[in-house]
Amino acid sequence: MSKTVNLTIDDKQVSAQEGEMLLWVALENDIYIPHLCAMKDYTPYAACRLCFVEVEGKKAPVTSCTQPVYENMVVHTRSERVDELVKKGFELIMSNHHLDCKNCPGNKNCELQKIAKARKLPLKPKKLIQQVNEELPIDDSMDKIVYDPRKCVLCGKCITACKENGNGILNFAHRGIDRVITTFGNISLKEAGCLDCGACAEVCPVGARSIKE
Ligand code: SF4
Ligand code: SF4
Ligand code: FES
């Protein structure tokens, strides 16, 4: 049986079940930590590198989605080191992002916009070298779902959602800046047997997978 532990996050006393991941404990207590890839109740794989915090007693910042809470833990969600790591990680993501909020289905319901606002970071940093592959085609083969890979932040959530609720047709392909989420054989969603269930769009934190208007 798990036991209740008490900890401090940004001077706020909170309690949680021992072993819970710090990210969820913070969010449940209205303390915002940037995050893109974590899914509650699933094993975290820490891909986005945005949820860093400082834990007293630890030499380096840790990712809060992989950090279990414990009794008397003291956490700081902001520090010079944390802010710098989040800024760098965010810039990296935005360098590979087709930014067009006005015409995006994710507009006003987008984790990138939320992170930018919370951390006062520009969505389009001045010195950014854009590396978006504008050639990547939009997959509009389904009646309900549409996928724009140029807006994908590679969080991997749609892969999990498709495995759990759909036909398990999505996965990562390629490496480095060519990395993309696609179907086996890089065929359209329709050809791959997509069920059009919408589970992928539901978990997508940005406007990459969405339900058509
Ligand atoms: S995914 Fe978010 S940041 Fe990107 S274009 Fe859409 S609304 Fe803007
Ligand atoms: S399509 Fe959306 S949910 Fe899937 S990896 Fe890209 S950003 Fe994440
Ligand atoms: S939410 Fe922790 S690394 Fe993405």
Side-chain angles (χ1 to χ4, degrees):
M1 212 172 70
S2 58
K3 70 170 192 200
T4 303
V5 294
N6 301 297
L7 60 150
T8 310
I9 312 176
D10 293 347
D11 298 328
K12 188 173 178 178
Q13 308 282 328
V14 304
S15 54
Q17 293 306 299
E18 187 173 43
E20 263 189 89
M21 292 306 160
L22 178 58
L23 172 66
W24 306 113
V25 174
L27 295 175
E28 276 153 22
N29 285 282
D30 297 322
I31 299 166
Y32 180 68
I33 297 172
H35 61 284
L36 284 176
C37 68
M39 286 173 92
K40 201 162 184 211
D41 303 326
Y42 288 93
T43 310
Y45 74 119
C48 74
R49 318 299 292 167
L50 290 178
C51 67
F52 282 109
V53 296
E54 304 261 10
V55 176
E56 285 189 14
K58 290 192 188 285
K59 281 196 188 126
V62 296
T63 47
S64 58
C65 68
T66 58
Q67 175 62 58
V69 296
Y70 52 84
E71 181 69 13
N72 294 330
M73 185 183 207
V74 181
V75 181
H76 305 279
T77 67
R78 303 296 297 270
S79 72
E80 223 170 279
R81 291 195 300 180
V82 162
D83 287 358
E84 193 54 26
L85 283 170
V86 174
K87 181 170 173 270
K88 287 264 154 62
F90 190 71
E91 282 178 0
L92 198 66
I93 290 167
M94 295 318 289
S95 71
N96 214 357
H97 188 76
H98 176 83
L99 188 65
D100 180 17
C101 297
K102 255 198 318 202
N103 299 305
C104 179
N107 197 16
K108 301 205 164 80
N109 187 23
C110 170
E111 285 295 327
L112 293 173
Q113 291 176 329
K114 192 169 174 181
I115 294 166
K117 194 171 172 207
R119 289 292 188 262
K120 297 192 172 44
L121 295 168
L123 279 167
K124 195 173 187 175
K126 276 198 188 100
K127 288 185 197 146
L128 194 75
I129 301 164
Q130 281 284 345
Q131 296 179 314
V132 188
N133 181 356
E134 297 289 350
E135 316 268 283
L136 284 173
I138 292 174
D139 189 333
D140 196 16
S141 62
M142 301 306 298
D143 290 336
K144 198 164 125 187
I145 300 162
V146 59
Y147 172 45
D148 183 349
R150 302 166 310 161
K151 296 209 180 79
C152 175
V153 294
L154 300 173
C155 71
K157 284 180 178 175
C158 56
I159 300 174
T160 306
C162 188
K163 269 194 198 125
E164 293 284 317
N165 308 283
N167 243 348
I169 57 167
L170 303 176
N171 218 329
F172 287 104
H174 314 304
R175 289 179 184 275
I177 59 161
D178 294 324
R179 197 149 171 82
V180 71
I181 306 267
T182 184
T183 55
F184 184 68
N186 200 20
I187 50 179
S188 71
L189 288 167
K190 190 164 208 148
E191 290 171 294
C194 171
L195 301 179
D196 222 8
C197 66
C200 56
E202 207 166 296
V203 295
C204 184
V206 297
R209 286 191 198 272
S210 56
I211 305 290
K212 292 178 191 172
E213 298 261 295

